[in-house]
Amino acid sequence: MITGSTDGKIMVRRCLVTFKPFRIFVVGIGFFSLCFLMTSLGGQFSAKRLGDSPFTIRTEVLGGVESRGVLRKISDMLEVILKRMDSLSKLDNTSTTDARRLDELSSAINRFQPAGLMERIQAIAQNVSNMAIRVEQILQNSMVQSRVVRDGTSSQCEVPRDPRFPECPGKVDWMRARWTSDPCYAFYGVDGSDCSFLIYLSEVEWFCPPLAWRNHSSLPTQHTQQAKPPKRQAAFRTDLSVLLDQVGAGKESLSFMKRRIRRLTQQWATAANRLDAKLEQRWRDQKKILVHVGFLTEESGDVFSPKVLKGGPLGEMVQWADILTALHVLGHNLKISMSVKELQGFLGVPPGRGSCPLTGPLPFDLIYTDYHGLQQMKQHMGLSLKKHKCHIRVIDTFGTEPAYNHEEYATLHGYRTNWGYWNLNARQYMTMFPHTPDNSFMGFVSEELNETEKRSIQQNKVNNMAVVYGKEASMWKLQQGKEGFLQILHRYMEVHGTVYYETQRPPEVPAFVKNHGLLPQHELQQLLRKAKLFIGFGFPYEGPAPLEAIANGCIFLQPKFHPPHSSLNHEFFRGKPTSREVFSQHPYAEQYIGRPHVMTVDYNNSLEFDSAIREIMRMEVEPYLPYEYTCEGMLERVHAYIQHQDFCAPEPPFISANLSRQGSAGGSRMMGPLFVPQPNSTALSWASNVTAPTAWPPLSSLRLLVSQEGQSCVQSCQSAGFICEPAHFRFINNKEALHGLEVQCEVVDSEINHILPAFSVVRRECGLQREPLLFSCAGHSPKYRRLCPCRDFRHGQVALCRDCL
């Protein structure tokens, strides 16, 4: 490809000399050709928009990875210039001055000298700004002199002052100044005239009233009601070959995900048959689902793929592989996107920079993505994101609490972070573990052993063998206080590691550790099946490896955190949209599994640590895997979410006065409590003689409690053996709930605060919630006792109530 430079010079020279009367058009084509040539030669460019002009750019040669996006922006820009030049050519009264300006542009282009291909491209790019400004001036002057209103007269295109559309005049002013900022406006017919602005703002967006003289059936609008296609039934699938083809190739991250899908194929098939039998052929709607894995796109940097073979974190890829498989096995119509270009194609976004909304209906019932993907959707869907965000599910490892999710509230009250603030229903965030009941628990799966494999493991366990949880050498740094407990562990056990290294043993790993290097998954499984102990260093938090170790018959030993780690005192959690306090490395393992499979001790107390090791060596445990982390458990959970969670249907405010009691005449209201005491419990439940509004989870699962001062509803419900259920908040956010709990209120206010509904015992003040997005299980205050909507749950499946399936 060395000859490419010479060929490029010849091409540029031909572009600039040939067809001289059409030199501006040729420059556009030539520049596209040069960009294509430079892309093939590996040249990289970056561009930055300066000031307000969409055409003022600075281009420089770099070694980055953003060339394709930049070239696409330049391409869009030149397309707009060409369209506007075409408009100029159709004007029959262009002044002599305007013609002279066009000649100036042409002569400016001809002054380029063949000083090398790279220099030529830079020179052209640097002059694009001046060209654009001159074209802008010519076009505006000519438009003023000879504007011809199409599809009507000038009087028909006066900006309306309609109180039903108060934003219309301001939006027209914005379009006059900025309609050239994105090629998508020209794509929809905007040409700089007020008529085109009003047509766009009434038919593509919704800020202006429809124009009386327009044929409104000709163009789909934001408010067009599309006939819904007939529903199709979802059928379980056990053949994963189509899914494996859809995942694609070319990255080590994708190869890892495909290996995992293949390895668990039989377990998914068995789980599908079991759930199919459990549901007894019940109708399941087949959904059109887009899965956009934002963190693996080149546009987000894709820092994970290069680390797959170097000990990098795999938890996210484990979860995404299992999500894809669960959706496929459940029988849904699946599309998978791993790039912004694919995302644009699947959504049908107009060309340009994403300022214009989608005009047609969203082609998907559900979209699963992550925070990176959500940001990319915002950039390319324009105003449509607000309209369609109820369809989105965000895979969010550590969770997002309502106080951080509500943009205005977070900004005013100090909860604003780099994440969060999307104003979603908090249940649209889906977590790896069920630690934040404000969100939905998505999870992942661990390999399930049959009885023969379990017996074999128990017979072949090596009693004095420990495996350390830590693939990266940085986790072993002894200056972090690890040398003490590692020496104690070495006294009793043979210590094994799986630390990545390239050429020699990592210096951070003590000499007494037998390091196997980074192991493929099946070899790691074999190591865990021999080991008695799997020990954590305190990091990483809440990964899948401890569950895999416990499932292979290991005891998991982890450190206790005192004080607990949180965004207030630990760098890892700083900036994450949660105030959750983490009391150990793996809170789920401590709380939901516990002894004998999980032991949590103070590593700084050598006597406590020594005693724990000796106790572990005396213990015998069987392999254990919580049902919710089996293939069947995940299928059951995802099925329930897809069939029952609907955040697009309007949720009417709950008005208790409208409810009828059994035995009331003509459905009129009978006096009586909404909530009645539970037998042998301080909790209240929904009264059986009161018509229960349609809800999921059903109101039969509701248990109403009051927290202690300073206690969150998460803690209050857990202490009573329940789970906080945010979907039930709207049914207890009323005076009837306060009365049922015998709360004495001198004042009952309605406010916007993530602590509410709650009351102050001292001041006898009660507060109800005014903003549904701020209903929060996690909120707590030392001054208030909270009203908590708890629910029951299925054995081994905390995400679902007993009647939820």
Side-chain angles (χ1 to χ4, degrees):
M1 296 300 293
I2 300 298
T3 58
S5 178
T6 303
D7 294 341
K9 291 179 181 179
I10 295 172
M11 183 175 65
V12 172
R13 189 176 296 113
R14 288 175 178 171
C15 288
L16 295 173
V17 175
T18 310
F19 305 114
K20 192 169 184 179
F22 308 97
R23 57 174 64 95
I24 291 179
F25 176 76
V26 173
V27 166
I29 300 301
F31 190 74
F32 296 149
S33 302
L34 287 172
C35 289
F36 177 80
L37 177 60
M38 285 310 302
T39 301
S40 66
L41 289 173
Q44 306 293 332
F45 292 83
S46 71
K48 296 181 180 179
R49 191 167 64 185
L50 306 176
D52 292 332
S53 172
F55 301 120
T56 306
I57 66 170
R58 175 171 54 85
T59 305
E60 55 192 1
V61 179
L62 292 176
V65 296
E66 64 274 353
S67 60
R68 281 175 292 182
V70 173
L71 294 179
R72 186 161 55 247
K73 290 180 181 178
I74 295 174
S75 172
D76 292 339
M77 178 185 65
L78 289 174
E79 286 174 8
V80 171
I81 293 175
L82 295 178
K83 286 181 181 178
R84 300 177 71 180
M85 291 303 301
D86 185 58
S87 299
L88 282 175
S89 68
K90 296 176 182 177
L91 299 176
D92 55 8
N93 61 341
T94 302
S95 66
T96 304
T97 302
D98 293 340
R100 180 169 52 80
R101 287 176 177 172
L102 286 174
D103 282 339
E104 289 178 3
L105 294 181
S106 301
S107 61
I109 296 170
N110 281 334
R111 285 198 296 271
F112 290 135
Q113 299 298 320
L117 183 59
M118 298 295 290
E119 291 78 9
R120 182 73 56 79
I121 294 174
Q122 285 184 289
I124 293 174
Q126 288 166 356
N127 279 272
V128 166
S129 175
N130 293 333
M131 292 170 57
I133 292 172
R134 293 184 182 184
V135 171
E136 178 85 17
Q137 295 169 345
I138 295 169
L139 182 60
Q140 288 180 350
N141 291 337
S142 298
M143 284 292 184
V144 169
Q145 297 169 10
S146 60
R147 178 172 293 164
V148 177
V149 177
R150 295 175 299 184
D151 299 324
T153 65
S154 296
S155 61
Q156 290 175 306
C157 292
E158 293 180 357
V159 179
R161 305 286 174 175
D162 190 329
R164 296 173 301 166
F165 299 88
E167 296 181 81
C168 184
K171 291 295 180 180
V172 172
D173 288 341
W174 188 95
M175 292 289 287
R176 286 168 178 160
R178 302 295 181 89
W179 75 272
T180 57
S181 64
D182 195 317
C184 70
Y185 297 119
F187 173 81
Y188 283 122
V190 176
D191 59 8
S193 66
D194 282 358
C195 272
S196 69
F197 297 154
L198 291 171
I199 292 170
Y200 174 85
L201 290 171
S202 62
E203 298 180 8
V204 179
E205 296 184 13
W206 51 90
F207 295 106
C208 294
L211 300 174
W213 49 270
R214 288 283 292 171
N215 177 10
H216 297 296
S217 63
S218 62
L219 183 69
T221 72
Q222 289 290 332
H223 301 292
T224 300
Q225 294 297 319
Q226 302 286 333
K228 291 186 177 181
K231 293 183 178 180
R232 298 183 60 182
Q233 185 171 8
F236 284 99
R237 301 188 186 104
T238 56
D239 182 356
L240 304 185
S241 58
V242 173
L243 174 64
L244 290 168
D245 290 339
Q246 282 184 286
V247 171
K251 293 182 178 181
E252 189 54 44
S253 55
L254 302 183
S255 299
F256 171 85
M257 292 167 67
K258 291 170 77 169
R259 288 194 297 270
R260 178 175 177 82
I261 293 170
R262 288 191 191 97
R263 190 170 63 251
L264 294 174
T265 295
Q266 187 53 53
Q267 294 196 23
W268 284 111
T270 302
N273 293 330
R274 288 176 182 169
L275 183 58
D276 193 17
K278 187 185 295 185
L279 295 177
E280 299 176 340
Q281 307 299 315
R282 189 184 313 164
W283 175 279
R284 295 183 301 112
D285 290 342
Q286 185 187 62
K287 305 287 187 178
K288 294 179 179 178
I289 299 177
L290 172 63
V291 178
H292 177 61
V293 190
F295 81 102
L296 289 182
T297 62
E298 295 295 338
E299 291 81 359
S300 72
D302 187 13
V303 298
F304 285 84
S305 293
K307 295 182 179 180
V308 170
L309 299 178
K310 297 183 178 181
L314 300 177
E316 287 85 352
M317 279 169 274
V318 165
Q319 187 181 34
W320 276 107
D322 295 346
I323 291 170
L324 288 169
T325 312
L327 297 173
H328 175 83
V329 169
L330 286 168
H332 297 291
N333 187 348
L334 199 60
K335 300 291 184 184
I336 302 172
S337 164
M338 299 282 185
S339 72
V340 170
K341 183 177 180 180
E342 290 176 319
L343 174 69
Q344 291 174 309
F346 285 137
L347 292 176
V349 300
R353 298 181 180 88
S355 302
C356 302
L358 310 179
T359 53
L362 189 72
F364 299 99
D365 300 303
L366 291 169
I367 300 175
Y368 288 83
T369 188
D370 52 25
Y371 267 126
H372 294 283
L374 194 58
Q375 185 64 43
Q376 291 164 355
M377 291 172 66
K378 178 183 178 181
Q379 292 170 352
H380 295 280
M381 289 179 68
L383 293 170
S384 299
L385 182 65
K386 183 177 180 180
K387 175 182 174 64
H388 297 305
K389 68 181 181 181
C390 61
H391 299 276
I392 296 172
R393 305 294 183 266
V394 182
I395 307 304
D396 174 14
T397 303
F398 291 97
T400 299
E401 293 174 10
Y404 296 82
N405 167 65
H406 191 285
E407 184 176 21
E408 182 179 357
Y409 186 82
T411 303
L412 292 175
H413 295 85
Y415 294 102
R416 183 68 182 252
T417 68
N418 290 333
W419 312 100
Y421 65 80
W422 288 93
N423 294 321
L424 302 176
N425 186 306
R427 286 171 287 154
Q428 290 177 253
Y429 300 101
M430 313 193 86
T431 58
M432 185 172 278
F433 290 94
H435 46 56
T436 306
D438 286 311
N439 307 148
S440 298
F441 162 45
M442 170 59 78
F444 57 95
V445 305
S446 287
E447 295 188 42
E448 193 174 3
L449 306 180
N450 58 41
E451 293 303 318
T452 302
E453 290 171 323
K454 289 179 181 179
R455 284 194 299 270
S456 175
I457 286 175
Q458 289 179 282
Q459 291 169 1
N460 294 292
K461 278 291 178 186
V462 179
N463 200 49
N464 66 338
M465 179 178 174
V467 175
V468 177
Y469 181 16
K471 297 178 296 183
E472 294 187 27
S474 60
M475 299 177 187
W476 290 72
K477 289 182 179 178
L478 298 181
Q479 62 266 33
Q480 297 173 355
K482 298 184 176 70
E483 64 273 17
F485 66 79
L486 279 175
Q487 287 291 346
I488 295 173
L489 179 62
H490 176 51
R491 232 184 281 157
Y492 296 98
M493 290 188 166
E494 187 179 273
V495 185
H496 293 250
T498 57
V499 189
Y500 169 78
Y501 61 96
E502 291 183 346
T503 57
Q504 59 185 1
R505 181 186 185 86
E508 296 88 349
V509 179
F512 59 77
V513 175
K514 184 178 180 180
N515 186 27
H516 300 261
L518 198 63
L519 295 176
Q521 186 65 24
H522 67 282
E523 293 184 28
L524 177 61
Q525 293 275 15
Q526 294 303 317
L527 187 65
L528 293 175
R529 291 183 180 190
K530 290 182 181 180
K532 180 68 173 288
L533 173 65
F534 189 64
I535 179 171
F537 276 161
F539 187 84
Y541 300 98
E542 300 179 307
L547 265 66
E548 294 174 352
I550 295 167
N552 282 286
C554 293
I555 295 171
F556 177 51
L557 179 65
Q558 65 170 346
K560 182 185 300 180
F561 298 151
H562 183 75
H565 293 180
S566 71
S567 58
L568 299 178
N569 63 10
H570 204 274
E571 188 61 34
F572 179 82
F573 290 103
R574 191 162 290 122
K576 290 183 169 57
T578 174
S579 299
R580 186 165 64 100
E581 294 182 324
V582 178
F583 290 85
S584 62
Q585 180 176 356
H586 208 293
Y588 174 86
E590 179 183 11
Q591 178 184 344
Y592 289 98
I593 301 177
R595 283 174 171 266
H597 303 281
V598 179
M599 295 181 65
T600 306
V601 301
D602 183 359
Y603 280 22
N604 295 318
N605 186 327
S606 58
L607 292 177
E608 183 179 348
F609 186 86
D610 185 285
S611 176
I613 299 298
R614 286 188 280 110
E615 182 182 357
I616 287 169
M617 294 187 70
R618 295 192 300 267
M619 294 168 63
E620 296 289 340
V621 298
E622 296 181 0
Y624 173 73
L625 179 62
Y627 173 75
E628 56 201 355
Y629 284 98
T630 65
C631 291
E632 183 181 352
M634 185 167 184
L635 285 178
E636 183 179 276
R637 188 166 60 249
V638 176
H639 150 74
Y641 291 152
I642 291 175
Q643 299 302 320
H644 298 293
Q645 282 187 339
D646 185 358
F647 302 111
C648 295
E651 200 170 67
F654 173 68
I655 304 175
S656 54
N658 291 341
L659 295 174
S660 62
R661 270 71 170 169
Q662 294 176 10
S664 59
S668 60
R669 189 170 187 266
M670 260 182 81
M671 298 303 294
L674 283 182
F675 306 99
V676 296
Q678 278 271 298
N680 304 318
S681 173
T682 58
L684 306 181
S685 61
W686 189 264
S688 59
N689 67 332
V690 180
T691 302
T694 302
W696 192 88
L699 280 174
S700 60
S701 67
L702 172 62
R703 302 292 182 266
L704 175 58
L705 287 174
V706 61
S707 77
Q708 298 300 315
E709 289 179 340
Q711 193 179 44
S712 71
C713 286
V714 177
Q715 298 165 321
S716 180
C717 293
Q718 284 178 352
S719 63
F722 300 121
I723 300 293
C724 181
E725 178 48 66
H728 286 337
F729 264 114
R730 69 189 187 101
F731 300 112
I732 68 163
N733 187 47
N734 49 54
K735 294 180 180 179
E736 283 85 351
L738 292 167
H739 180 72
L741 292 168
E742 299 181 351
V743 177
Q744 302 299 316
C745 304
E746 292 185 1
V747 177
V748 179
D749 287 329
S750 179
E751 301 176 22
I752 297 177
N753 191 310
H754 74 289
I755 306 299
L756 305 178
F759 64 93
S760 168
V761 177
V762 176
R763 296 191 298 272
R764 289 194 168 192
E765 293 176 352
C766 299
L768 301 178
Q769 181 62 258
R770 204 164 72 217
E771 172 51 78
L773 289 182
L774 285 174
F775 283 136
S776 172
C777 290
H780 60 89
S781 168
K783 299 179 182 179
Y784 288 93
R785 300 183 69 183
R786 301 201 56 203
L787 275 63
C788 297
C790 311
R791 63 162 169 81
D792 58 29
F793 57 91
R794 297 169 66 86
H795 178 68
Q797 184 75 285
V798 297
L800 303 180
C801 69
R802 291 171 188 162
D803 298 326
C804 276
L805 193 58

